[in-house]
Amino acid sequence: MLTALEYDVGFALFSRERKRLVPNNEALLLYGEATRIFSGLSEIEAFARDIRSRTAGTLHIISTPAFGDSFLPSVLGQFIAMHSKARLVSHVRSSTIINQRIVNQQADLGFSMMPFEHPAVVSELLCEVPAVCILPERHRLASQNVVNAKDLAGEQFLSFPLDGRMRHLVDAVFDQRGISRQLNFEVYSSSEACAMVAHNLGVSIVDPFTAHAATHWQPIVQRRFNPEIYYTFRLMRPRYRETSLFAEEFLRLLREKLQEFLSEASRALNKPRLR
């Protein structure tokens, strides 16, 4: 067999000394390369086992700020704790960019607030949650369990940009009732609104995910708002790229944690609707 190997490679591998075979430098070089290759094969087998057991993989997620700034990080933290070999990429972007990235197959999962239909996208309703009113801890309305639209008449109100869906929904509630507010400040996200409310710069209506997280470390309170305004979150996936086992594992955890959050929120606020 050794003679046949030398014939195949085209050069001598051993010297024969006193009925013993002694490997030459070429044999040692060949042995080192063969060891590296077989070691690589073992690593591939181990990695395949990790993929099969969902302990390793790559996941690229893109989310709207209302979901990605507060709720999603807690799910990612638990997922990483369970899958130490995971490689995660998580970006927070506007719904327009999220939809574009999913169309271009540049992300595995997207969480958007914008209704969107495209042949390259699979979209499903993830959940609907009621917006909440956030107030400074010592605000005159902080003692109320429910804040009505008329209660905010004349208040300094932190609004979202005019090109956003939630801005139009919120403005419509007040405009239809002829309730005027002071609109001197505009913020991009719920997290910005929470930070400014904490500094007594006004009040706002935001998503419950961000408000819930902010009340743990900022001097603000969240209260149910009447009439109800719903935040709608959608799960987006590329149609022409099959969802990986790793992504499915993440979605299972996310849905579980989402149900826990909605159950908790329903006790303090109006019961959210889960689809």
Side-chain angles (χ1 to χ4, degrees):
M1 291 176 63
L2 293 177
T3 300
L5 177 60
E6 289 179 319
Y7 179 80
D8 288 337
V9 298
F11 51 83
L13 296 171
F14 300 91
S15 59
R16 279 71 177 174
E17 299 179 4
R18 299 178 183 179
K19 298 183 180 182
R20 295 177 59 219
L21 292 175
V22 179
N24 57 25
N25 288 334
E26 288 74 18
L28 295 175
L29 287 173
L30 189 62
Y31 174 75
E33 183 64 13
T35 300
R36 185 188 66 79
I37 292 172
F38 281 112
S39 176
L41 291 175
S42 297
E43 291 177 3
I44 292 174
E45 291 177 358
F47 191 65
R49 287 194 298 271
D50 289 339
I51 294 175
R52 186 168 57 249
S53 63
R54 319 296 203 272
T55 58
T58 300
L59 190 58
H60 190 162
I61 300 171
I62 185 167
S63 174
T64 186
F67 203 69
D69 280 345
S70 52
F71 176 73
L72 197 57
S74 65
V75 182
L76 290 171
Q78 186 168 339
F79 189 73
I80 285 292
M82 298 164 57
H83 305 81
S84 58
K85 298 180 182 179
R87 180 179 181 271
L88 296 178
V89 178
S90 179
H91 292 161
V92 173
R93 297 290 187 271
S94 67
S95 290
T96 301
I97 294 178
I98 292 169
N99 296 338
Q100 180 183 351
R101 295 279 178 87
I102 297 296
V103 167
N104 295 334
Q105 318 285 294
Q106 295 176 321
D108 299 301
L109 302 172
F111 299 98
S112 174
M113 292 170 53
M114 180 188 297
F116 184 70
E117 297 292 335
H118 192 280
V121 175
V122 177
S123 175
E124 64 179 273
L125 183 60
L126 184 65
C127 67
E128 291 178 308
V129 290
V132 297
C133 181
I134 53 172
L135 311 157
E137 280 184 338
R138 298 185 179 182
H139 192 275
R140 63 182 179 85
L141 300 174
S143 60
Q144 297 183 190
N145 292 327
V146 180
V147 173
N148 297 296
K150 63 180 181 180
D151 296 332
L152 300 181
E155 287 284 342
Q156 185 66 255
F157 193 89
L158 306 173
S159 294
F160 294 118
L162 282 170
D163 60 353
R165 174 176 175 270
M166 292 308 299
R167 171 64 180 269
H168 295 291
L169 292 178
V170 171
D171 284 355
V173 166
F174 292 95
D175 293 344
Q176 290 167 6
R177 291 162 176 78
I179 301 170
S180 61
R181 301 158 292 160
Q182 297 185 51
L183 304 175
N184 298 330
F185 297 107
E186 186 175 289
V187 295
Y188 173 71
S189 66
S190 293
S191 57
E192 288 182 53
C194 288
M196 294 183 72
V197 169
H199 286 84
N200 296 299
L201 293 176
V203 302
S204 191
I205 296 173
V206 302
D207 70 273
F209 297 115
T210 305
H212 179 78
T215 55
H216 288 81
W217 59 279
Q218 291 181 321
I220 66 174
V221 296
Q222 59 171 333
R223 296 292 182 259
R224 185 157 57 92
F225 181 73
N226 181 53
E228 295 171 344
I229 302 173
Y230 276 87
Y231 274 80
T232 301
F233 294 94
R234 290 174 170 80
L235 168 62
M236 325 285 287
R237 306 189 225 192
R239 183 178 298 277
Y240 304 118
R241 190 170 73 192
E242 185 176 355
T243 305
S244 67
L245 297 175
F246 204 55
E248 292 289 1
E249 184 79 5
F250 176 79
L251 285 176
R252 277 192 288 273
L253 176 64
L254 181 135
R255 294 182 191 278
E256 175 186 328
K257 304 308 292 183
L258 182 58
Q259 184 62 65
E260 291 178 7
F261 176 86
L262 296 182
S263 297
E264 180 181 347
S266 68
R267 292 191 293 269
L269 304 169
N270 193 56
K271 187 176 182 181
R273 296 173 289 179
L274 177 63
R275 299 292 178 89

